[in-house]
């Protein structure tokens, strides 16, 4: 299975949720917004939203500064 994350093609070994993807990318913590095929995914759905072949994922991480 293959998905696109922030414009970059990535192979996946099998079924994966948004939460598992974030953990794989070491992005499981902090303020993150995820878009799945053009739809914003509520944080409450990260652990249940399944990814499929050809899906497009956009991930934005808020970084504070001052």
């Amino acid at each position: 299975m293959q998905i696109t994350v922030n414009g970059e093609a990535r192979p996946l070994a099998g079924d994966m949720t948004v939460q598992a993807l974030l953990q794989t990318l070491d992005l499981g913590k902090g303020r993150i917004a995820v878009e799945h095929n053009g739809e914003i995914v509520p944080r409450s759905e990260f652990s249940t939203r399944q990814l499929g072949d050809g899906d497009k994922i956009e991930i934005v991480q808020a970084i504070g500064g001052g």
Side-chain angles (χ1 to χ4, degrees), residues 21-65:
L21 175 64
L22 293 174
Q23 290 172 344
T24 299
L25 298 173
D26 199 25
L27 295 172
K29 299 176 184 172
R31 294 171 42 185
I32 295 173
V34 177
E35 184 179 275
H36 179 216
N37 295 330
E39 176 186 343
I40 299 293
V41 180
R43 183 173 288 278
S44 62
E45 293 181 19
F46 281 8
S47 63
T48 58
R49 180 70 66 102
Q50 290 290 321
L51 302 178
D53 191 40
D55 283 355
K56 292 186 169 98
I57 304 295
E58 296 292 327
I59 302 170
V60 177
Q61 184 173 19
I63 299 175

